[in-house]
Amino acid sequence: MKASKRAGVWGFFVVSSVLAVTGCRSSVVGQAHPATSPEAKQVETGIALQNLTTAPAKANTYAGQPVYDACAIMNPFLMQQAGFVINPEQTFQQMKFTGDDGPPAPGTVTYDPDASHESPEPASECLLAGKDIKYNLSLSIDQKQYESSDMSSERDTVWRLATNSEAQQSVQSHTVSHETRGDMQIYVTMGTLVYPDEYQVYFFWGGDQYWATLTMHASDYGTREDSPGITKEPADALKFLVDQVAGRLAAGPDKVGLSKYKYAAPWNMPTACDVYKPEDWALSFTNDSGSARVHEDSSIGPVRFTADPQDPGKGPWQYVWSSCYRMNHANTGNLVNQDGLTVQIDTYNNVDGAIYSNHVQCHPHANGPGGPPSPETKAKLGDGDVCWIPTGGNDHLLFKVGRHVVEMWAFKREDYQQPALNAVFGKVTNTIVDRLKKIP
């Protein structure tokens, strides 16, 4: 479908400047881990992410209460230290509150009673995939101020899952152990609802202020001698993780610190949320409440990219990727009030890979789930092809800057109608291009 025809439906935004860059590479060495941390002793085979977590560091606060950063506790290095085999092409997910202080704004952290399967989002959550889907870890941290005011206590629900046999039967789990460490209660359960062996560890501390859930899957341990996904007995891995998580939670949010990651050499690339920054929210959503939630996905290591067989002699290449979804503080259980914009960045090991990827995705004969792409004719972004990719949902804007291929899309379909389209995408795309020009 041609751009002129699509413009009658969506409208295209206009940017004033013509931007161009050239790609080159620089070198950064080393991993930033405290010498006493378990991560410092770990061989990081296949991991491209560099841990720049700052601890101690003053935590963000919500309604006056400090908020833990789950990904300052749980990360690929701790996962590997626990015995999990890392697949570099798997994903590291971070979801957290990013605002600072102030009472809850009206309508925030809401819960849709018609979506009974939904519960309020945790204040912070970290998810890690291991060798494959059967091996994964997650840590979610909740706090009382973050609960919805229009539903019963989420902490009570989690408490029942940790301690009540009838509640456990509903999710096919049972209690394995219980212990007390200071003011912290720790319950370990094992279930079979999703995986054959699904461990969940519940932590309750700080009176009724905080609670957390650690989930561990290592389903086929001992059955795959050729290529196991974990090198330790699951019970030993779990004990290690419980000790690490409990100790860090007990130390407090400031001692846990603030998580930060980037890609080390040869990628030398910040993650998407350091390119699409919190202050950029106002460039797109000037009439909305500030962005207070972020969901960031990152590849743990490089992903292989192979050229089409019809293009002999090209590639293969490698790239690392991350995406940053910034949203307002409406809960996912009530999508009507949610605004948001996602920026995904694929950084290739050389500019040729980025050129090829950008070109084949924007080629008129490319045919994805929603049909062929449409060229963007009014906006010149970066130094390559610029196009809209139909996905069957909201279209994705794609462009290239040096060895970086950028894909962007908005949450609301209304944001694709003018004048919203220009407002949501216009200024922030120029800002992102300018930043990527400085990352050769």
Side-chain angles (χ1 to χ4, degrees):
M1 188 178 293
K2 295 186 179 297
S4 58
K5 184 176 180 181
R6 290 181 57 79
V9 179
W10 300 108
F12 290 115
F13 64 90
V14 180
V15 289
S16 57
S17 58
V18 176
L19 304 158
V21 303
T22 56
C24 60
R25 292 165 61 186
S26 59
S27 178
V28 174
V29 204
Q31 297 286 336
H33 300 312
T36 55
S37 71
E39 295 92 328
K41 303 173 185 177
Q42 186 59 44
V43 178
E44 296 160 2
T45 305
I47 298 179
L49 277 174
Q50 182 179 20
N51 187 358
L52 305 175
T53 295
T54 304
K58 182 173 174 53
N60 292 328
T61 57
Y62 180 76
Q65 190 78 1
V67 179
Y68 283 85
D69 187 336
C71 291
I73 298 175
M74 184 65 67
N75 56 55
F77 316 104
L78 190 67
M79 185 182 200
Q80 197 174 37
Q81 184 73 12
F84 284 81
V85 177
I86 294 293
N87 177 351
E89 295 192 12
Q90 293 284 12
T91 305
F92 177 36
Q93 297 184 31
Q94 306 181 61
M95 289 163 279
K96 56 189 173 183
F97 170 75
T98 57
D100 198 18
D101 218 348
T108 61
V109 205
T110 56
Y111 176 76
D112 182 355
D114 295 328
S116 58
H117 62 285
E118 296 281 0
S119 60
E121 294 173 333
S124 184
E125 188 170 16
C126 199
L127 299 93
L128 281 157
K131 184 176 182 297
D132 55 44
I133 194 173
K134 295 178 181 178
Y135 303 93
N136 58 78
L137 295 173
S138 68
L139 176 66
S140 63
I141 306 175
D142 294 85
Q143 64 184 69
K144 188 174 183 178
Q145 290 78 9
Y146 223 71
E147 286 189 8
S148 171
S149 60
D150 53 2
M151 68 174 292
S152 60
S153 170
E154 176 69 6
R155 185 184 185 278
D156 291 345
T157 301
V158 176
W159 179 262
R160 287 193 297 273
L161 289 173
T163 63
N164 184 279
S165 59
E166 291 185 4
Q168 291 173 353
Q169 286 175 8
S170 68
V171 294
Q172 301 175 24
S173 70
H174 63 277
T175 299
V176 174
S177 65
H178 165 238
E179 63 175 306
T180 302
R181 301 187 187 184
D183 80 331
M184 181 178 289
Q185 301 290 321
I186 304 173
Y187 291 85
V188 179
T189 70
M190 188 172 70
T192 59
L193 186 62
V194 179
Y195 294 91
D197 298 302
E198 179 180 66
Y199 287 96
Q200 288 193 309
V201 186
Y202 301 96
F203 305 84
F204 303 91
W205 74 105
D208 63 351
Q209 296 300 305
Y210 295 106
W211 61 99
T213 304
L214 166 67
T215 302
M216 186 186 93
H217 298 141
S219 297
D220 60 354
Y221 174 78
T223 65
R224 293 174 60 181
E225 296 180 1
D226 58 331
S227 184
I230 187 170
T231 60
K232 293 182 179 180
E233 290 278 356
D236 294 336
L238 188 68
K239 182 180 184 304
F240 170 80
L241 291 168
V242 170
D243 288 344
Q244 290 293 319
V245 172
R248 299 183 191 194
L249 292 175
D254 291 345
K255 291 292 181 67
V256 165
L258 300 175
S259 65
K260 186 178 179 64
Y261 297 87
K262 66 169 289 184
Y263 290 103
W267 318 102
N268 307 314
M269 178 65 189
T271 60
C273 283
D274 280 328
V275 178
Y276 175 37
K277 298 183 178 183
E279 57 265 31
D280 298 336
W281 176 264
L283 297 175
S284 299
F285 304 104
T286 55
N287 296 322
D288 200 351
S289 59
S291 170
R293 295 282 300 174
V294 65
H295 180 162
E296 183 171 24
D297 291 358
S298 307
S299 65
I300 295 174
V303 179
R304 183 180 174 86
F305 179 63
T306 305
D308 189 282
Q310 296 180 1
D311 298 321
K314 294 187 176 182
W317 302 277
Q318 288 186 318
Y319 66 95
V320 293
W321 67 270
S322 62
S323 68
C324 182
Y325 174 41
R326 295 196 180 277
M327 68 200 89
N328 59 357
H329 201 9
N331 183 265
T332 52
N334 186 357
L335 301 181
V336 174
N337 297 322
Q338 189 166 134
D339 266 326
L341 186 68
T342 300
V343 175
Q344 177 170 315
I345 304 172
D346 300 347
T347 296
Y348 286 80
N349 55 343
N350 62 54
V351 71
D352 290 341
I355 291 172
Y356 184 84
S357 172
N358 172 232
H359 183 66
V360 297
Q361 290 187 78
C362 282
H363 194 280
H365 294 156
N367 195 9
S374 300
E376 168 53 63
T377 59
K378 293 183 179 180
K380 173 60 180 173
L381 294 169
D383 55 6
D385 298 323
V386 185
C387 66
W388 293 91
I389 299 178
T391 65
N394 291 342
D395 288 11
H396 291 197
L397 175 68
L398 187 134
F399 56 91
K400 184 185 82 68
V401 184
R403 60 193 178 101
H404 316 289
V405 177
V406 182
E407 200 165 342
M408 298 175 59
W409 60 97
F411 177 77
K412 283 187 175 179
R413 194 164 182 84
E414 303 94 283
D415 290 336
Y416 288 80
Q417 306 290 340
Q418 288 289 16
L421 182 69
N422 187 61
V424 171
F425 286 88
K427 292 180 182 179
V428 74
T429 50
N430 280 322
T431 299
I432 288 169
V433 168
D434 286 343
R435 289 184 185 136
L436 289 176
K437 288 171 63 177
K438 299 174 184 177
I439 309 172

